[in-house]
Amino acid sequence: MAARKTRVRRPLATALALFAVVAPLASSVAASPAASAAEAAGTVDPTRAGAQWIDENTVAWDLPDAAGTRHALVYAADGRLTVRDGELAGEGRRIRLTPAEGGLTGAQREKYPHLKGYAAFTVDPRDRGQARRALTGQVVAVREDTGGKLLDATGVQTQGVLDDLYSAAATEAKLGPRFRHGRTSLAVWAPTAQSVALELGGRTVPMRRDDAGGVWSVSGPRAWEGKPYRYVVKVWAPSVQKIVTNKVTDPYSTALTADSARSLAVDLDDPALAPAGWDRLRKPRATPLRDAQIQELHIRDFSVEDRTSRHPGEYRAFTDKASDGMKHLRKLAQAGTSYVHLLPASDFGIVPERRDDQAKPDCDLTAPAPDSEEQQACVAEAAVKDGYNWGYDPVHYTVPEGSYASDPDGTRRTVEFRQMVQGLNGSGLRTVMDVVYNHTVASGQADESVLDKIVPGYYHRLLADGTVANSTCCANTATENAMMGKLVVDSVVTWAKEYKVDGFRFDLMGHHPKANIVAVRKALDALTPKKDGVDGKKVVLYGEGWNFGEVADDARFVQATQKNMAGTGVATFSDRSRDAVRGGSPFDEDPGVQGFASGLYTDPNASKANGTKAEQKARLLHYQDLLKVGLTGNLASYTFTDSAGRRVKGSQVDYNGSPAGYAAAPGDALSYADAHDNESLYDALAFKLPAGTSPADRARMQVLAMATATLAQGPSLSQAGSDLLRSKSLDRNSFDSGDWFNAIHWSCRDGNGFGRGLPVAADNKAKWSYAKPLLASTALNPGCREIDGASAAYRDLVKLRASEPAFSLDTAAEVQSRLSFPLSGTDAETPGVVTMRVGDLVVVFNATPDAQEQRVPGPKDAAYRLHPVQAKGADATVKASSYERKTGTFTVPARTVAVFERR
C-alpha cells in the first residue's frame, strides 16, 4: 500500500419506563442519587456506540447477563439526548428490547462474526415498524434495573439495520447525475437524512425521498448540465453529537470544480468531452493476466523533470510522442511490456489543484552535498502545499484528479485523462488504474469528508466503541456494507466504460470482502463491446491481499486476501519472492540484511544482522526455496524437492509462519522485486550489497533481481525506472517527498536519482546513519554504461518472456509437469544459484560473484544453446554463457541470469 502518513443522567423513572413507545422521555425527571460517577465515566456514555442494530428486529450489545434488567432503544429527532451526572436527559421515544435466548442466530453470527460473543436483543413486536423514523435521529441503547435506574447507555451503530431496511431497493438505484430526454436528474442515497436539497445555480431545490430505498432525487431542465452543485443534507452526526446541515459534494460526482469544492452536473457521454478519435480508439491486443508485464508509474514522476516533454507533470505528457519518457515506454512495449499501472489518479486530497496555489522548495537543491540534510529539510518545508503526493488520499472515487490537468476547474481533466489513455494505447500499452476504495482521506465533519457527511456512521468501518477504524492509515471504509460495496462496483464500471481503463489494482484489497471484489469481476464481465463499448472480460484485476487490522483472519468477513482470492481470476501481490530476492523485510531496523540478489552468504557485507556464515547459508537456501515457489507462480499444490531434500508442496514452504505457495493457478499471484512502497530496488541493493561493489556489478544484480519476477509464471510488475537503476536517494516512503526525490530521469546523462541528499527525515531519519556514507560514495553513482546497459538487458528478458510459451503455462498441472528444479535438494545445489527447467528451456540465476557450473541430468543427446534473444542481445557478459553437451554442464558468468534453449 501507499499510505498517507501525515495524517459518548438521569435514570428513567419507573412510570416513564412503562410509557407507550411514543411517549416522550421527559428531561425534567428528578435525578437519582444512586447514579455513581464511575457509571457516568464508564458504561453511561452515549457519545460512544457500543451497541449495534444489525437488522430491523435485532440489536447486538456486548453486555453481561441481561437477567433482572430492562433494555430499550431511545431515539430523538432533535438529537438532544445527553448525559447529566451519569443520567440520561432529553426528549426521546422508546423501542423496547427483549433478550434473545441463545444470543445471535447462526445466520447472524455468520454475517457478523466479530459480534458472536455479544448478547442479542429482539425488538418488542409492539414497537416494530419504528426503525425508519428512529434512524433519522439520535439513537441510544439503555439498560436499566427493574426500578428504572440507568445502568448502561451507549450510542448505536446502525449500518446493519440500514442495509436490512434499504439495500434491496437502494442497490438497484441509479445515483449521481443522469441525462435523459432533455432532463437532468440527480440522486443521492441518504436514508438517515431529515431533509435533502439541491444547491445549484444560486437556488436551493428540495429533493424527494423514496422511502423504499432511502434515495433522494430531483429532476430539472437540461440547462442544469455543466452547473456546479452540492447537496444540502440535514442529518444526525454522531461525530459531533448533534443534528447538522451539511453542504456536501456528490459521492457519485462525474466532474468537479477545483479542489473538489463543488460537483459538476456533467454527462460523460457528451461528445464535447471526447478527444478526437476517442470513439474509434484501437487498443493493443489484450494480454491475459497470467502473461501481463506491468510498469508501475506515477503520473507526475513520469514527466515533471523530462525536459523533452511539452506537458510536464500532466496527463497530456503521455501524448508527447517525441519525449524521452514516451520513447522509453514504447521500447518497453515493443519488448513485451503490456500494461502501464498508474498510481492513483482519481480525485484526492492534500495537493492544491491550481498550480498557482502550489508551493515549491525555496532553495537551490543542487547546491548541497549528496549526503546533506539540507535538501530534505527544504523539500519537507514545502511538502504540505506542494504539487506532489502519491494520491492515496481519495475524496471522490470516480473523477480524475485535477492537479494533473491543464485546468482543474471543470472538464479538462476528463478530456485529458482520456487523451492519456489514448497516448498509452497508441504506444502499445494498456492502462491499469490504482484504485483506493479501502479508505477516505477524512471522515466525520472534516472539510474533505464526503460520504460521512451524507450518511454518518455508515460508509466507514467502526470499531467496537463506534470510532472509525484507521488501520489502513486513514478512515477505513466499510466495503462490506451494501452501499459502499455498490459504490466500488459502480465506480470501477464507470472507469472501464467511460475512460476505457483496461485494468484495476486494488490498494489494500485484503480490507475488502472477497465478495465485493468478485462482484466487481462479475460486473466487468457483463460489459460487452456492442452494448458498452468495452469488453469487460479483458479487463484485468489484481491487488494487495495483505492480512492485517481489524479485519485480519476473516474477523468480519471472508477477506480478499492472498489465500482467499486463489482461483477467482483476481491476482494478488506476492511478497514471498520479493523478500527472498532483496533479503529480510522492508521494516528491518538494519537495512543491511541480505538476500538472494544482494549477496547473502556468497558476497557478505559488514552487517552483523546477517548472522554467522552457517546461518547465512541456511537462510539463503531457504530463500532459494521461496524463489522456486515464486517461479511456479506461487502455486500451493506444486510439489518439488526443497533445499533440504524433502518432498514438499508450495503450501508447505514457510514464509514467516504462512504458506509460501497459496495460488491455485498461474495468474493468481503477481511477482515483483520492487514497487512504489519501500526503497526502490536500486536503493535496497545499495544498503545490502557490500559497500565496495562496483556500479557495473550493482547493475547486474539489479537485472538479476528483476529477472526473478519477469521469468516467473504469472504476471509481474516493475516500478517504472527500475530498469534504469532508479533511485530515490534511499527514501523508503517517498509519498510526500516531492519531485526532487521522486522524478524519473529518462536520460542517463541526468543520473539515476542517487545522491540527492539524505531522504526525508519523517520516515527515514532512523536509517540516516546507514545512508550517509553510501550517499557520499561516488562508487554508487552509475553512469550511462550501467544505466542504459541494465535497461537493454531487462528489455531482452521481457522480450524473451513474451516470446516463449513455456513462461505462460495455463494450469497448475501444466506447471507441475513442465517446470522443475533439477538440482534442488541435491549435493549439486549451489548457494546463490537457482536452476530451473521449463519446457525446452533451462534458466540459471547465478547471484554469486563468481562464474558457476550447473550440471543438469538429462537425455544424453540433449543439446542446448544460449537463447537467441540473449545471444543477439545487449548484454555482452551473458554471451559468455555456455553448455557442455558431454557432461550436461551449463556455465554462467557471475551475477547473470542466462536462458538456454534446447536445439
Side-chain angles (χ1 to χ4, degrees):
M1 169 214 173
R4 171 190 177 218
K5 295 181 174 64
T6 45
R7 9 187 232 214
V8 247
R9 69 197 170 162
R10 51 194 308 156
L12 307 182
T14 302
L16 179 61
L18 298 176
F19 260 33
V21 296
V22 295
L25 216 167
S27 61
S28 58
V29 178
S32 166
S36 69
E39 288 172 333
T43 56
V44 181
D45 186 1
T47 67
R48 298 288 183 176
Q52 300 202 28
W53 198 349
I54 62 172
D55 59 44
E56 186 173 9
N57 296 319
T58 311
V59 174
W61 195 356
D62 190 14
L63 282 176
D65 185 2
T69 55
R70 298 181 309 200
H71 307 82
L73 297 177
V74 181
Y75 64 94
D78 63 5
R80 294 183 180 179
L81 296 175
T82 59
V83 171
R84 296 177 188 167
D85 299 323
E87 302 165 356
L88 197 66
E91 298 288 334
R93 298 174 183 270
R94 303 198 119 209
I95 297 175
R96 289 164 287 193
L97 302 175
T98 303
E101 290 188 18
L104 297 171
T105 67
Q108 289 170 334
R109 286 195 295 271
E110 184 177 355
K111 186 172 183 179
Y112 301 102
H114 60 298
L115 304 181
K116 61 185 178 182
Y118 280 40
F121 300 88
T122 302
V123 172
D124 191 299
R126 297 167 292 176
D127 299 347
R128 292 177 182 172
Q130 295 190 70
R132 282 177 168 81
R133 178 169 53 185
L135 289 165
T136 61
Q138 180 186 17
V139 184
V140 177
V142 298
R143 181 172 76 103
E144 308 153 344
D145 66 17
T146 55
K149 175 186 172 183
L150 186 65
L151 302 175
D152 291 276
T154 184
V156 179
Q157 299 183 34
T158 60
Q159 314 94 307
V161 67
L162 288 172
D163 277 350
D164 186 45
L165 291 172
Y166 295 107
S167 66
T171 53
E172 299 299 319
K174 302 295 184 183
L175 302 177
R178 298 184 72 203
F179 305 86
R180 297 182 64 190
H181 309 303
R183 303 283 292 174
T184 302
S185 300
L186 292 153
V188 62
W189 187 66
T192 64
Q194 296 181 1
S195 68
V196 182
L198 175 68
E199 181 186 84
L200 180 146
R203 300 172 54 210
T204 301
V205 183
M207 299 179 74
R208 179 179 57 84
R209 174 188 165 101
D210 166 49
D211 288 336
V215 174
W216 298 73
S217 60
V218 65
S219 182
R222 188 78 186 198
W224 282 6
E225 184 177 357
K227 295 287 195 301
Y229 71 96
R230 292 187 298 186
Y231 296 124
V232 183
V233 183
K234 183 179 180 182
V235 68
W236 162 256
S239 63
V240 291
Q241 291 287 294
K242 63 182 180 181
I243 301 292
V244 296
T245 299
N246 288 321
K247 293 187 176 183
V248 58
T249 49
D250 191 342
Y252 274 73
S253 294
T254 53
L256 297 161
T257 62
D259 296 323
S260 312
R262 299 284 192 283
S263 300
L264 288 171
V266 166
D267 183 358
L268 293 178
D269 292 329
D270 184 347
L273 302 184
W278 182 245
D279 59 341
R280 303 184 305 278
L281 177 62
R282 296 185 63 182
K283 288 187 168 291
R285 181 181 62 85
T287 301
L289 180 58
R290 71 173 186 274
D291 292 333
Q293 298 293 298
I294 305 164
Q295 285 283 303
E296 182 198 60
L297 182 61
H298 183 273
I299 289 171
R300 188 175 173 98
D301 292 355
F302 172 68
S303 60
V304 73
E305 288 198 7
D306 184 350
R307 291 184 295 272
T308 65
S309 175
R310 293 183 294 116
H311 305 98
E314 296 184 19
Y315 296 122
R316 294 183 297 168
F318 296 90
T319 68
D320 295 335
K321 295 181 180 180
S323 72
D324 288 344
M326 287 306 295
K327 288 178 181 177
H328 193 83
L329 289 186
R330 281 197 297 277
K331 287 180 183 178
L332 289 169
Q334 289 160 6
T337 298
S338 41
Y339 293 89
V340 162
H341 158 161
L342 300 168
L343 265 64
S346 60
D347 178 57
F348 57 83
I350 310 303
V351 171
E353 290 188 334
R354 293 186 179 92
R355 283 180 178 74
D356 289 346
D357 296 335
Q358 296 173 0
K360 294 182 179 180
D362 187 21
C363 55
D364 180 1
L365 294 171
T366 65
D371 62 340
S372 171
E373 299 179 20
E374 294 180 42
Q375 298 96 325
Q376 66 84 31
C378 186
V379 166
E381 187 175 350
V384 175
K385 292 187 178 181
D386 71 359
Y388 194 89
N389 199 276
W390 276 349
Y392 292 87
D393 305 279
V395 181
H396 297 88
Y397 287 120
T398 323
V399 181
E401 163 61 18
S403 65
Y404 301 140
S406 61
D407 182 358
D409 202 12
T411 56
R412 288 308 305 167
R413 60 177 83 186
T414 297
V415 176
E416 291 171 6
F417 188 102
R418 288 168 166 173
Q419 289 177 318
M420 173 180 67
V421 172
Q422 280 183 312
L424 287 167
N425 288 174
S427 295
L429 294 158
R430 288 192 159 223
T431 307
V432 171
M433 270 190 73
D434 200 328
V435 288
V436 192
Y437 297 110
N438 64 82
H439 64 252
T440 58
V441 68
S443 61
Q445 291 296 112
D447 289 345
E448 291 183 309
S449 175
V450 175
L451 297 169
D452 216 19
K453 286 182 176 179
I454 296 174
V455 193
Y458 177 84
Y459 283 103
H460 291 95
R461 186 172 300 125
L462 305 182
L463 300 176
D465 63 356
T467 55
V468 176
N470 62 1
S471 57
T472 65
C473 85
C474 308
N476 296 3
T477 55
T479 41
E480 64 272 26
N481 295 343
M483 296 304 286
M484 185 62 214
K486 170 183 169 62
L487 177 55
V488 173
V489 174
D490 290 349
S491 177
V492 168
V493 167
T494 299
W495 285 112
K497 285 179 60 176
E498 303 293 349
Y499 291 93
K500 302 186 182 182
V501 171
D502 306 296
F504 298 89
R505 177 267 196 191
F506 286 84
D507 181 65
L508 295 184
M509 189 170 69
H511 269 57
H512 288 252
K514 175 181 177 179
N516 178 231
I517 303 300
V518 170
V520 170
R521 179 72 274 168
K522 182 179 180 180
L524 289 170
D525 288 347
L527 302 179
T528 66
K530 183 176 180 180
K531 175 172 60 77
D532 307 291
V534 61
D535 185 349
K537 289 184 172 66
K538 293 180 179 177
V539 175
V540 300
L541 299 179
Y542 57 94
E544 292 180 304
W546 314 138
N547 177 36
F548 69 98
E550 74 285 351
V551 299
D553 301 321
D554 301 331
R556 296 196 176 211
F557 43 75
V558 177
Q559 302 160 261
T561 48
Q562 290 169 323
K563 66 182 180 70
N564 290 341
M565 294 308 291
T568 64
V570 180
T572 55
F573 284 84
S574 172
D575 43 358
R576 280 69 166 151
S577 293
R578 177 203 67 185
D579 287 354
V581 166
R582 294 160 72 108
S585 86
F587 311 107
D588 293 328
E589 183 177 343
D590 182 344
V593 178
Q594 292 177 289
F596 177 80
S598 57
L600 180 64
Y601 179 69
T602 65
D603 194 13
N605 61 28
S607 173
K608 294 181 179 179
N610 286 306
T612 65
K613 198 72 173 174
E615 290 169 336
Q616 290 187 43
K617 182 178 180 181
R619 192 165 76 253
L620 175 57
L621 290 173
H622 181 66
Y623 279 161
Q624 291 179 197
D625 288 339
L626 291 176
L627 279 174
K628 294 164 197 170
V629 176
L631 288 165
T632 72
N634 273 95
L635 294 175
S637 63
Y638 181 82
T639 303
F640 71 108
T641 301
D642 71 7
S643 59
R646 300 167 298 197
R647 197 69 182 165
V648 296
K649 293 181 178 180
S651 60
Q652 294 172 318
V653 177
D654 177 71
Y655 172 73
N656 298 332
S658 297
Y662 62 83
D668 284 348
L670 183 148
S671 299
Y672 70 114
D674 80 335
H676 64 276
D677 278 326
N678 312 309
E679 290 89 355
S680 71
L681 179 57
Y682 186 86
D683 288 344
L685 295 178
F687 276 126
K688 297 172 186 295
L689 287 169
T693 306
S694 69
D697 285 339
R698 291 179 184 278
R700 300 201 64 75
M701 294 299 264
Q702 179 102 353
V703 173
L704 184 139
M706 296 173 76
T708 61
T710 304
L711 301 182
Q713 300 293 317
S716 73
L717 174 144
S718 174
Q719 183 178 198
S722 281
D723 61 310
L724 297 167
L725 310 182
R726 180 184 182 184
S727 169
K728 298 180 183 179
S729 207
L730 305 178
D731 195 330
R732 65 168 298 272
N733 184 26
S734 66
F735 80 102
D736 203 20
S737 298
D739 301 326
W740 178 250
F741 290 104
N742 282 289
I744 302 173
H745 307 284
W746 299 110
S747 172
C748 65
R749 294 185 298 276
D750 296 324
N752 70 333
F754 193 81
R756 291 198 149 205
L758 286 164
V760 176
D763 279 298
N764 298 281
K765 192 169 185 178
K767 303 286 195 303
W768 276 5
S769 61
Y770 299 98
K772 193 173 179 65
L774 296 173
L775 293 171
S777 172
T778 57
L780 272 74
N781 287 310
C784 282
R785 183 174 182 177
E786 291 79 29
I787 293 171
D788 290 344
S791 183
Y794 170 72
R795 291 197 302 274
D796 285 345
L797 291 172
V798 172
K799 182 178 180 181
L800 197 158
R801 196 255 189 247
S803 64
E804 283 292 348
F807 293 116
S808 178
L809 303 178
D810 287 337
T811 66
E814 278 192 273
V815 176
Q816 185 69 63
S817 66
R818 301 190 63 193
L819 189 154
S820 63
F821 302 97
L823 303 182
S824 183
T826 70
D827 291 339
E829 179 163 15
T830 307
V833 182
V834 170
T835 298
M836 173 177 71
R837 178 187 282 133
V838 55
D840 290 331
L841 306 177
V842 172
V843 186
V844 180
F845 300 88
N846 177 14
T848 75
D850 302 303
Q852 297 290 343
E853 294 182 349
Q854 298 286 283
R855 186 170 183 177
V856 178
K860 292 183 180 179
D861 62 346
Y864 288 88
R865 65 178 180 182
L866 188 65
H867 195 284
V869 170
Q870 287 188 308
K872 299 176 183 177
D875 182 4
T877 300
V878 74
K879 295 176 184 179
S881 302
S882 63
Y883 174 71
E884 208 284 309
R885 182 174 181 176
K886 184 176 181 180
T887 61
T889 301
F890 297 88
T891 301
V892 177
R895 300 183 173 101
T896 296
V897 56
V899 181
F900 298 85
E901 70 169 9
R902 187 171 178 175
R903 297 187 189 184

